[in-house]
Structure formats: structure tokens, C-alpha cells
Amino acid sequence: VMDEVVTVSCGDAYTAAIKKDGSLWTWGININGELGNGTTENSGTPVKVMSNVSSVSCGELHTAAIKDDGTLWLWGYNRYGELGNGTSENSSVPVKVMNDVSFVNCGGIIYSSSRGGYTAAIKTDGTLWMWGRNSDGQLGIGTHEHSNVPVKVMDNVAAVSCAGGMYSGNGHTAVVKTDGTVWTWGANRFCQLGNGTNNTSHVPIRVSGIIAALPESISNNQSGNITTHPNQIQGFIDVSEGAYYFNPIQWAIENHI
């Protein structure tokens, strides 16, 4: 499809790619403006959206991108405020939301009569901010109310991952803090929070028995992606790549990881 691509992210029937020169290109479905090209027409070929882009994340129906200057831009579906711009109106063009952002991740519900997503961003000071759909408590702000503006959740965060789900009731979030501790919140129907229960939590809870192995730059409060030790599983420095464990959390606890 394209040459000189350095990273790619996929949403629900659409794709975003960043080329080596920092240009962002999108293609696919565009009913809600998720391509960010100023229209709501689908595109079967890549269209250029922005320049000087360092990172992109596609949710189910909305998109987020970080530019080289640390500014965060969002566009697409916005029923639950997932764009973080204080409205519930969709946008077919990028809208600036925050400054000094080092990492962003989007989540969403795929098959539901009330489809919608949410967004998490880590700022350069290590603070975690979240907004959008919150029916499962996935924002971690202590309520189940949606938010159309960024809300601060935690300090000293190194990495975040927003899950979605095929159905409403499965949205949850996980983070690794700079001290290596793992925290989760949101839906817990299938015990995905790892806290020994299946109770939903709308506030962060620490997953006991797990400490992630972080690169020195992250442990020194420089937030970003957690890198993998060579030939080893991310976060577990004594587990060989390709090893498989049916219940990794239980294995980690038993082995005092």
C-alpha cells in the first residue's frame, strides 16, 4: 500500500499510518469523520491528514495523533466526548486538545447499540488524563459519568492501554506506573482487572504480585512505551520469548515476579 511507513494503527474498518517524513495518512470507512480529511466520505486510497506526526492511535470510531511539538489532536466520533474538546459533536478535521503529551491510546465498544470510545493520554510530566465513554468506569475517575474534557487520573504513569470490547460492559484500562506497579480499572465481568474478583471498579486498583521491568528512562519519569528486553517477554525479564502460560498472572505470583 505504502512505502517508508514507520508505524500503523487500525480502527473499525479504517487505518492510519505515519511515514518516515512524519506525514499521517488514513483510509477506509469515514462515516463519522474518523479519517480526519474534512469529509465523511469513505476512501479506498490513503489520504494525507497532517504533517510532523510522531504517534497515532485509532479507537473504534475516533482517532488521536501526537505531533512532534507534543500537541494532541483528535477527530471522528464524539457522542461520549471521546475527542475531549468539550462537546459531543463529531469532527471530520483534527481538533487540538492538549499540550505536552508523550503517549495516547484509544479504546472503544465495537458491537453495541450505544457504540462509543474513550481516550487516555500521558503527559510529559507522567500524569495520566482520560475522557470519553465511562459506562464501565473505564476512565478511573470515581464515577460512571462520561466526560467530554480530559480528567486527571494518576501521577507517575509510564504506560497505558485502553481495552474496548465487542459488547458494552467490557471496557477496562490498565497502566504501569514508573515504579513498575500495575493498576487496572473498569469492567471486570471476566476478571480482567486481575484483583481476584469479578466486580467492576471505577477507581484504579493495584494488581498485587506484579512489578514490571522498566527501562531506566521510564523509571526516571520519562513516560512512554515500555520496551521489551531482547528475546524476553515485555515486563518479565526472566521469561523467554515464545513461552506460553495459560494463567500468566498466577504464574507471576507463584514465581514472585
Side-chain angles (χ1 to χ4, degrees), residues 230-234 236-245 251:
N231 301 317
Q232 293 164 334
I233 291 178
Q234 177 172 309
F236 297 92
I237 60 175
D238 57 349
V239 181
S240 61
E241 184 177 16
Y244 173 79
Y245 300 92
W251 176 89

Side-chain angles (χ1 to χ4, degrees), residues 33-253:
E34 45 266 81
L35 298 189
N37 64 343
T39 77
T40 54
E41 298 179 1
N42 301 339
S43 178
T45 58
V47 292
K48 184 178 178 179
V49 179
M50 304 175 74
S51 300
N52 304 313
V53 176
S54 59
S55 178
V56 64
S57 177
C58 295
E60 186 225 350
L61 301 170
H62 73 292
T63 310
I66 303 173
K67 300 192 74 173
D68 293 340
D69 61 3
T71 56
L72 176 64
W73 301 72
L74 290 101
W75 58 92
Y77 191 70
N78 197 31
R79 176 178 179 181
Y80 297 98
E82 39 270 84
L83 301 189
N85 64 341
T87 77
S88 58
E89 298 178 359
N90 296 351
S91 178
S92 62
V93 295
V95 178
K96 181 181 174 181
V97 178
M98 301 180 75
N99 295 314
D100 302 319
V101 175
S102 62
F103 183 78
V104 66
N105 189 241
C106 300
I109 303 299
I110 300 175
Y111 299 117
S112 172
S113 59
S114 56
R115 303 170 77 176
Y118 67 112
T119 311
I122 303 174
K123 300 192 73 174
T124 53
D125 63 1
T127 55
L128 173 67
W129 299 73
M130 301 194 67
W131 59 94
R133 182 174 177 144
N134 194 33
S135 54
D136 299 320
Q138 58 262 56
L139 299 188
I141 58 177
T143 75
H144 289 276
E145 296 180 2
H146 313 308
S147 178
N148 59 17
V149 294
V151 180
K152 183 180 174 181
V153 180
M154 303 177 76
D155 293 309
N156 303 316
V157 175
V160 61
S161 179
C162 297
M166 294 184 65
Y167 304 100
S168 178
N170 288 341
H172 69 289
T173 308
V175 306
V176 178
K177 299 192 72 174
T178 53
D179 61 2
T181 57
V182 178
W183 299 70
T184 59
W185 59 88
N188 198 26
R189 178 182 179 186
F190 299 103
C191 304
Q192 58 262 50
L193 300 188
N195 64 340
T197 76
N198 61 355
N199 299 324
T200 295
S201 177
H202 50 62
V203 294
I205 53 176
R206 181 178 173 181
V207 180
S208 63
I210 295 181
I211 298 293
L214 302 178
E216 184 177 354
S217 61
I218 291 181
S219 61
N220 288 333
N221 294 320
Q222 299 179 30
S223 301
N225 289 310
I226 296 179
T227 57
T228 307
H229 293 270
N231 301 317
Q232 293 164 334
I233 291 178
Q234 177 172 309
F236 297 92
I237 60 175
D238 57 349
V239 181
S240 61
E241 184 177 16
Y244 173 79
Y245 300 92
F246 178 76
N247 190 330
I249 293 178
Q250 184 61 38
W251 176 89
I253 293 174

Side-chain angles (χ1 to χ4, degrees), residues 1-10 14-28 35 43-51 53 56:
V1 177
M2 302 180 73
D3 295 318
E4 299 186 332
V5 174
V6 295
T7 189
V8 66
S9 182
C10 296
Y14 75 102
T15 308
I18 301 175
K19 298 188 71 173
K20 187 185 298 184
D21 63 2
S23 59
L24 173 65
W25 301 72
T26 60
W27 61 94
L35 298 189
S43 178
T45 58
V47 292
K48 184 178 178 179
V49 179
M50 304 175 74
S51 300
V53 176
V56 64

